[in-house]
Amino acid sequence: MATVLSEPSRTFNEYLLIPGYSSAEARPENVSLRTPVTKFRKGEEPAITMNIPLVSAVMQAVSDDNMAVALAKEGGIAFIYSSQSIESQAEMVRRAKAYKAGFVTSDSNIRPDQTLADILDLKKKTGHSTVAVTEDGTSNGKLLGMVTSKDYRVSRLSQDTKVSDFMTPLDKLVCGKTGITLSEANDIIWENKINQLPIIDDDMRLQYFVFRKDYDTHKEYPNELLDENKSYVVGAGVNTRDYEERIPALVEAGVDVLTIDSSEGYSEWQARTLKWVRDTYGDKVKIGAGNVVDAEGFNFLVESGADFVKIGIGGGSICITREQKGIGRGQASAVLDVAKARDEYYEKTGIYVPICSDGGIVYDYHMTLALAMGADFLMLGRYFARFDESPSARLMVNGNYVKEYWGEGSARARNWQRYDLGGDAKLKFEEGVDSYVPYAGSLHDNVNLSLDKVKSTMCNVGVLSIPQLQKEAKLTLVSATSIVEGGAHDVILKESRSNIR
């Protein structure tokens, strides 16, 4: 006879946090959201720690190199999607890693034999008025000069005038050398009263620009997540089919952390992938695995060598695995069960394996609930798909701006590898949908608002860190009636409310 669990499969919506004693120190500015990403031994520090507990999903509509940079600026990690060619994914990783904090790779470059008309076309295309003049017109060519809006007047200069005739030549430019720190670069900018500083190598080849305007921007991101070389920390997804070719390419591109992207992680295929990584790289390459929904799945992946474990099957807003196949578990129940197994494993071995809650987040307060239930960090798809920085198109539908959002199990994604059970190389039926999500603006504004809510709730609970929240939080189940009570009721609203993010 089948085993039947006595406890219902529960979602985040069925729980509330009980307020605790809030001391004078329980203020949002005192709350730390730092959290481990990779496993570590008791008394040691994890190889990777995030400054906020958010990562973006391994999805075509969510995580590319632009998302990787934007989320790393906030202190989290984007996992660049794997349902693309190895070369394309590796190039995305390479671009994100090349984007050093404050050091900008030039995207407006021109040859000296081109004309003012070419300058104007380039400015219209990129929106940038600073143009590097390089020998071959590339971003890493030998620097010969620079053109800004101060170097020409359209009304007084023929559009066929050669760039070399009006550019500021190299011998009149102030430049920095490769290896300079951002602080040193900013000192040079202020001392010389210039707006941009080209960074060149010993062969006079252009490497980066540092801009005066980025100094204040840099100060806006106190939580930015950097590696030892001051590059942003970048993640990427892999599958259990072509990992022997894909992982080396991603490692060579500079990826910091990987995760196996699969709809169900309790499998021989994931064990084989993890074994290959450990046999090939030892512990140097950090890789998470999943997804699972119970203690058995967690213990299997940990024993197989996972650095972190993802939780969740069928809880995503675009996922229809549960209705298609009848497998999964309510996300709250899954997180609570796996968190208990994680703690027991830590007590037994002294090794802490972080867990990631993937899916089931509808409202911002669900983030705090997931963390209180034991998740170390959260993987979000729909949430990040709504922002400017996601790779999907922004459209006007019925008078409202939306962004396209489709599941990796949809026919559009063509990602059969995610649902691979060792059979034919094709997607036999869909486990995801193609949809829209309301456009929400910039990632920076929305993430800060969401995390302000998390911090405020933690203060209400009386805790100042995620480990303290996990240890001291008190949760209560709520009835259907109390859910109604929790919203506006028995009044006539003046206007339609929205869940402002």
Side-chain angles (χ1 to χ4, degrees):
M1 171 179 175
T3 300
V4 179
L5 302 182
S6 59
E7 176 68 23
S9 182
R10 300 195 181 277
T11 67
F12 295 133
N13 227 35
E14 297 177 75
Y15 288 89
L16 286 174
L17 283 158
I18 300 294
Y21 170 68
S22 299
S23 70
E25 294 300 310
R27 302 192 305 273
E29 61 267 26
N30 292 334
V31 173
S32 169
L33 295 179
R34 282 177 58 82
T35 193
V37 178
T38 55
K39 65 184 177 184
F40 59 96
R41 290 189 176 277
K42 188 174 184 178
E44 298 179 355
E45 289 294 317
I48 301 176
T49 298
M50 289 191 297
N51 294 324
I52 64 171
L54 304 181
V55 301
S56 64
V58 191
M59 300 176 70
Q60 294 174 7
V62 179
S63 298
D64 64 355
D65 49 308
N66 289 325
M67 179 61 71
V69 171
L71 190 47
K73 285 182 177 180
E74 303 301 333
I77 298 174
F79 284 89
I80 293 174
Y81 68 92
S82 56
S83 50
Q84 60 179 314
S85 71
I86 294 172
E87 295 75 19
S88 175
Q89 188 184 23
E91 183 57 31
M92 283 189 181
V93 170
R94 196 171 288 111
R95 287 199 299 267
K97 293 300 295 182
Y99 194 110
K100 290 189 175 182
F103 292 84
V104 180
T105 301
S106 177
D107 66 352
S108 297
N109 310 286
I110 205 163
R111 298 188 313 275
D113 60 337
Q114 291 182 267
T115 66
L116 175 60
D118 295 320
I119 289 281
L120 297 176
D121 286 343
L122 190 58
K123 183 178 179 181
K124 184 177 181 181
K125 178 182 177 182
T126 66
H128 299 152
S129 58
T130 298
V131 179
V133 184
T134 60
E135 196 170 58
D136 57 3
T138 67
S139 60
N140 293 119
K142 185 175 181 180
L143 186 64
L144 302 179
M146 191 168 69
V147 174
T148 71
S149 55
K150 295 179 180 179
D151 291 308
Y152 60 88
R153 273 190 178 181
V154 176
S155 60
R156 295 189 179 184
L157 202 60
S158 171
Q159 293 207 9
D160 60 3
T161 305
K162 298 291 185 184
V163 170
S164 57
D165 292 338
F166 61 88
M167 71 180 187
T168 301
L170 179 63
D171 58 7
K172 293 186 178 179
L173 293 177
V174 178
C175 297
K177 283 297 184 76
T178 303
I180 192 173
T181 67
L182 186 60
S183 177
E184 291 169 340
N186 280 310
D187 287 343
I188 293 174
I189 287 173
W190 286 93
E191 288 168 4
N192 290 274
K193 299 180 180 179
I194 53 179
N195 291 321
Q196 59 277 313
L197 180 73
I199 308 298
I200 56 177
D201 64 14
D202 292 337
D203 296 322
M204 311 303 288
R205 300 181 73 85
L206 180 64
Q207 302 299 306
Y208 305 103
F209 274 110
V210 177
F211 292 93
R212 175 189 287 262
K213 64 180 177 60
D214 286 343
Y215 177 80
D216 291 331
T217 302
H218 180 64
K219 295 299 182 182
E220 290 181 20
Y221 300 100
N223 292 320
E224 59 186 358
L225 193 60
L226 307 173
D227 64 17
E228 64 276 6
N229 298 315
K230 303 299 183 183
S231 295
Y232 289 122
V233 173
V234 178
V238 298
N239 61 63
T240 57
R241 277 273 181 161
D242 63 9
Y243 57 88
E244 293 185 22
E245 294 79 36
R246 189 174 294 269
I247 291 177
L250 295 173
V251 170
E252 191 277 331
V255 74
D256 297 281
V257 59
L258 302 168
T259 188
I260 302 174
D261 181 39
S262 174
S263 64
E264 202 272 306
Y266 192 1
S267 75
E268 173 69 16
W269 312 111
Q270 294 222 1
R272 289 185 187 183
T273 304
L274 292 168
K275 183 179 186 303
W276 182 86
V277 170
R278 295 302 168 227
D279 289 346
T280 306
Y281 297 102
D283 288 328
K284 291 183 179 179
V285 169
K286 303 303 179 183
I287 182 169
N291 288 13
V292 299
V293 294
D294 61 10
E296 288 183 26
F298 170 83
N299 288 322
F300 174 80
L301 291 177
V302 170
E303 294 298 335
S304 298
D307 282 297
F308 64 87
V309 174
K310 290 199 290 131
I311 308 162
I313 294 176
S317 61
I318 40 68
C319 185
I320 54 173
T321 293
R322 294 180 192 175
E323 67 180 59
Q324 288 281 59
K325 297 168 67 173
I327 65 169
R329 194 177 192 184
Q331 192 68 3
S333 296
V335 171
L336 287 165
D337 194 2
V338 175
K340 181 180 178 184
R342 185 266 321 276
D343 293 343
E344 290 173 350
Y345 186 83
Y346 181 53
E347 286 295 320
K348 183 174 73 173
T349 67
I351 299 173
Y352 188 92
V353 182
I355 57 176
C356 168
S357 177
D358 178 11
I361 301 294
V362 180
Y363 304 109
D364 287 344
Y365 82 89
H366 288 172
M367 296 181 184
T368 321
L369 285 172
L371 296 171
M373 290 175 182
D376 295 286
F377 56 99
L378 317 174
M379 178 170 277
L380 306 171
R382 180 195 61 85
Y383 178 84
F384 286 115
R386 303 170 305 132
F387 303 148
D388 290 318
E389 293 79 2
S390 74
S392 63
R394 189 181 75 167
L395 307 171
M396 176 76 78
V397 176
N398 296 327
N400 296 307
Y401 280 114
V402 297
K403 297 259 310 192
E404 292 187 293
Y405 181 46
W406 61 97
E408 289 298 302
S410 67
R412 178 174 181 174
R414 301 180 183 276
N415 188 12
W416 63 267
Q417 295 96 329
R418 190 176 197 273
Y419 301 87
D420 183 26
L421 294 174
D424 295 335
K426 63 181 181 180
L427 192 67
K428 295 182 175 65
F429 54 88
E430 288 185 298
E431 294 187 41
V433 299
D434 195 351
S435 64
Y436 301 117
V437 289
Y439 168 66
S442 76
L443 180 147
H444 176 70
D445 293 340
N446 282 275
V447 165
N448 277 276
L449 178 58
S450 295
L451 294 181
D452 281 345
K453 295 179 185 179
V454 172
K455 290 179 180 180
S456 180
T457 304
M458 289 172 65
C459 289
N460 293 140
V461 174
V463 299
L464 297 177
S465 69
I466 292 173
Q468 192 182 5
L469 175 67
Q470 293 168 343
K471 182 179 179 181
E472 300 180 18
K474 288 189 287 186
L475 295 155
T476 180
L477 281 167
V478 295
S479 67
T481 305
S482 65
I483 291 175
V484 174
E485 180 187 64
H489 61 90
D490 301 319
V491 294
I492 301 172
L493 296 178
K494 292 183 178 180
E495 57 186 26
S496 176
R497 297 192 317 140
S498 62
N499 182 35
I500 300 172
R501 292 183 181 273

